[in-house]
Amino acid sequence: MAKKSSSSELKQTVDQVTEEAINVGYRLEQRLHRFRQRRAEARGDIPVMVAFEGYGSEHHVRVLGRALLKTRGLIESTDESAESIRGWRSFTSVPIAFAHVNVWIDEFEFHLVADKGGVVDVDLQVSLAPGEHTVRMQTEGSETVESRVFIVADEQRIGVVSDVDDTVMVTALPRPMLAAWNSFVLNEHARTPTPGMAVMMDRLLHRHHEAPFLYLSTGAWNVAPTLRRFLTRNAYPSGALLLTDWGPTTDRWFRAGAAHKVQNLERLARNFPQMRWILIGDDGQHDPEIYSGFVHRYPEHVAAIVIRNLSPAEAVLAGTPLVNEERRVTIPDGTLWIEGNDGASISRQLAEHGLL
């Protein structure tokens, strides 16, 4: 009994030390950010508002943007048409913590506050007609920028959510060195599109031409312009990017990518109670588990789960089990589960089930 009590006390001590270490890391990260922001302001960096594409229903709109401080030489990197921008340059801008942001949508005006990473991500309760609308955003000292927001009609029943890494582009993300190379060094010209996936998704758009397309990724907001250019250059359907932020939180050393995806899927279920989603991902990370968990909780919100199987070579690079190894994934009876290595094989199966 004494041995068991000693083991329990040791575990409690380790947990306390770990929790304190995480808190210290979080506080250090915040101090570093405040130092960078003060230094950027002192050298005359320019406030820049970056407006990301949003989406919404006839009763709400999700507005996405980011307030940054940029040197004059990097201002052009916010331009979607900018060429040959290395990934690492996306991480040199300094977020404006808790920036005050003005937002205009049609005749509506809102005054918002960004989070500590300068990110604006908020659902606004506003009634808009279905279709495209223009969102204008501005923070103190910045120019006003524009982006589009796509409003989904209440009668729309199908939407598409797609992962990015190893689903629409081949990145071998789970390998830390390759992930760093892809994020910090490569530009969008060097990234490889997944064979057939753009054609498959374009066919989905033509079959469900009023459907929203959302790209849900664990990538950082810093690489949003690069991802947007990649998707446009490779003819993927236009749609909002749902990204995250890096760095420690109050209870973790790094933000949980799986939790980010789960939270966004549940947000979609709440905001679009009438919608059934085609969920597209790959078996290189946790998409099968995330999507199967979602369909268990919200079976009425899933039209199909589409999993792109990594090739054996891709699986080795990604550090994941080979495709012939079983995963512990269960799905409710009646759930449409489709797997294939490329867009062509997935397209055939979607067509067979009347979704394409």
Side-chain angles (χ1 to χ4, degrees):
M1 183 67 69
K3 185 176 181 180
K4 183 177 181 180
S5 175
S6 176
S7 176
S8 176
E9 290 175 356
L10 177 60
K11 182 180 182 302
Q12 184 177 5
T13 300
V14 170
D15 289 343
Q16 290 174 346
V17 170
T18 302
E19 181 180 357
E20 180 58 28
I22 292 173
N23 286 331
V24 168
Y26 176 79
R27 292 195 295 270
L28 287 175
E29 192 258 354
Q30 293 305 297
R31 290 178 182 176
L32 176 61
H33 171 72
R34 289 194 294 269
F35 168 76
R36 291 185 66 210
Q37 184 169 333
R38 288 194 301 268
R39 185 179 178 186
E41 291 169 344
R43 68 172 175 248
D45 284 8
I46 301 171
V48 171
M49 194 69 217
V50 183
F52 303 124
E53 185 170 338
Y55 67 89
S57 71
E58 295 184 42
H59 314 285
H60 89 282
V61 59
R62 185 174 181 180
V63 172
L64 298 160
R66 200 175 194 203
L68 300 169
L69 288 168
K70 286 179 174 284
T71 62
R72 293 186 182 275
L74 288 178
I75 293 297
E76 72 275 8
S77 68
T78 62
D79 183 357
E80 293 292 325
S81 65
E83 295 291 331
S84 190
I85 295 173
R86 294 286 179 180
W88 65 267
R89 295 184 69 185
S90 299
F91 289 80
T92 58
S93 301
V94 179
I96 305 175
F98 310 113
H100 290 263
V101 177
N102 300 316
V103 175
W104 298 271
I105 310 172
D106 293 350
E107 72 274 20
F108 301 100
E109 181 175 348
F110 303 90
H111 303 283
L112 310 175
V113 177
D115 66 14
K116 64 183 179 62
V119 175
V120 172
D121 179 358
V122 63
D123 287 318
L124 301 175
Q125 303 306 309
V126 58
S127 296
L128 296 173
E132 290 191 9
H133 294 257
T134 298
V135 175
R136 295 184 296 128
M137 306 182 74
Q138 180 263 341
T139 190
E140 183 178 359
S142 79
E143 295 184 358
T144 300
V145 294
E146 294 184 354
S147 185
R148 82 156 198 161
V149 60
F150 180 70
I151 301 301
V152 183
D154 284 346
E155 59 267 21
Q156 178 64 34
R157 292 295 180 266
I158 292 292
V160 179
V161 175
S162 177
D163 177 47
V164 174
D165 298 298
D166 290 320
T167 301
V168 303
M169 67 166 69
V170 180
T171 58
L173 185 62
R175 282 283 293 274
M177 290 303 294
L178 291 177
W181 177 264
N182 280 305
S183 294
F184 294 106
V185 180
L186 294 185
N187 59 39
E188 71 273 10
H189 295 278
R191 296 168 188 258
T192 305
T194 306
M197 292 299 285
V199 174
M200 182 272 289
M201 292 180 69
D202 185 63
R203 292 183 63 192
L204 275 176
L205 178 61
H206 281 79
R207 176 66 173 80
H208 310 279
H209 63 279
E210 296 298 331
F213 278 72
L214 306 174
Y215 297 92
L216 177 57
S217 171
T218 57
W221 280 112
N222 305 67
V223 299
T226 302
L227 289 181
R228 171 59 56 212
R229 288 189 296 272
F230 172 88
L231 294 171
T232 301
R233 182 168 282 110
N234 290 283
Y236 281 98
S238 179
L241 296 171
L242 305 180
L243 307 179
T244 185
D245 201 0
W246 288 1
T249 66
T250 54
D251 60 352
R252 299 178 62 92
W253 279 109
F254 298 100
R255 285 164 176 78
H260 165 70
K261 289 189 172 183
V262 169
Q263 291 163 5
N264 273 276
L265 290 173
E266 292 182 344
R267 188 171 180 174
L268 292 173
R270 293 193 303 270
N271 289 340
F272 296 94
Q274 83 286 3
M275 193 85 74
R276 298 170 66 232
W277 297 92
I278 299 173
L279 306 176
I280 305 173
D282 64 85
D283 63 359
Q285 298 186 64
H286 302 291
D287 290 340
E289 291 82 2
I290 292 169
Y291 290 166
S292 64
F294 180 75
V295 75
H296 274 286
R297 297 188 300 276
Y298 302 95
E300 70 279 10
H301 288 289
V302 177
I305 294 175
V306 176
I307 299 297
R308 184 208 165 226
N309 299 133
L310 272 64
S311 68
E314 290 171 334
V316 170
L317 286 173
T320 58
L322 294 178
V323 293
N324 61 356
E325 292 191 20
E326 294 185 1
R327 304 178 70 118
R328 295 182 179 179
V329 173
T330 61
I331 57 173
D333 293 338
T335 302
L336 178 57
W337 185 284
I338 292 174
E339 296 189 38
N341 181 249
D342 55 32
S345 60
I346 291 171
S347 291
R348 287 193 294 270
Q349 296 176 71
L350 286 170
E352 290 172 0
H353 290 89
L355 289 173
L356 200 61

